[in-house]
Amino acid sequence: MTDKPCPCHSGRPFSCCCRPVLAGENAVTAEALMRSRYTAYVVGNVNHLLGSRHLSTRPDHIDPANFPKWCGLEIISTEEGGSGDDRGIVEFKASFLSENSIRTLHEKSRFVKENGKWFYVDGDIRPVTVKPTKKTGRNDPCHCGSMKKFKKCCGR
């Protein structure tokens, strides 16, 4: 059986990318935690989203019914956040399908490591960009820019 690609678009198989972190292993870097959080949104893993959020900013609950259809993730940059650091910043863009358009969330996220475990603290969100979609055929390129066919990306 072939392993599916990780939803975080790392190019690695899910089994050796975000799956171990979603299953409870500590993320090695702030970027690895950010990728696992994106994947948790894709698969609806609320426990990971709450557990990986720092206590100082953790909400009481998260409603997965409010999750959009996530289509892609692009890491823009990282500052610190390595295995030997205790703080890190990850800037990313995540695209999602909403109301017949592809929207892009652009955030600069802050992470902190406490007792060997990374946590998402908060982030600065830039205004969401919107690309209206036209009627898309299943074999057309996806509007999110992933270079995949629509049926293999946002059209799933």
Side-chain angles (χ1 to χ4, degrees):
M1 178 174 126
T2 59
D3 196 4
K4 292 184 178 183
C6 192
C8 78
H9 296 263
S10 66
R12 298 172 55 207
F14 177 58
S15 65
C16 61
C17 189
C18 289
R19 183 185 215 177
V21 180
L22 292 176
E25 287 186 22
N26 287 343
V28 178
T29 65
E31 180 181 335
L33 181 63
M34 203 285 318
R35 287 181 176 281
S36 74
R37 287 180 54 79
Y38 171 85
T39 297
Y41 276 106
V42 171
V43 301
N45 187 331
V46 172
N47 289 334
H48 179 67
L49 292 169
L50 289 170
S52 63
R53 184 88 183 242
H54 193 266
L55 280 174
S56 66
T57 59
R58 184 180 299 162
D60 292 332
H61 70 282
I62 298 173
D63 184 359
N66 295 328
F67 293 175
K69 171 119 176 78
W70 293 100
C71 304
L73 175 67
E74 176 189 0
I75 303 298
I76 305 298
S77 66
T78 59
E79 298 173 31
E80 299 181 350
S83 59
D85 298 319
D86 61 0
R87 297 191 181 284
I89 295 174
V90 179
E91 183 176 358
F92 69 91
K93 289 182 180 180
S95 57
F96 59 97
L97 186 61
S98 176
E99 301 173 5
N100 295 322
S101 61
I102 298 293
R103 297 170 186 254
T104 301
L105 169 70
H106 186 171
E107 180 174 327
K108 200 167 192 178
S109 301
R110 286 179 283 282
F111 296 84
V112 64
K113 186 164 63 172
E114 293 179 349
N115 299 318
K117 185 174 179 178
W118 283 104
F119 293 95
Y120 168 74
V121 178
D122 61 14
D124 296 323
I125 299 173
R126 297 190 180 168
V128 172
T129 58
V130 179
K131 285 189 216 174
T133 60
K134 62 179 187 319
K135 180 71 174 157
T136 305
R138 292 177 40 79
N139 290 316
D140 289 339
C142 191
H143 298 289
C144 73
S146 68
M147 304 305 291
K148 294 180 183 180
K149 290 182 179 181
F150 180 72
K151 68 182 178 187
K152 295 282 187 177
C153 194
C154 293
R156 286 187 266 172

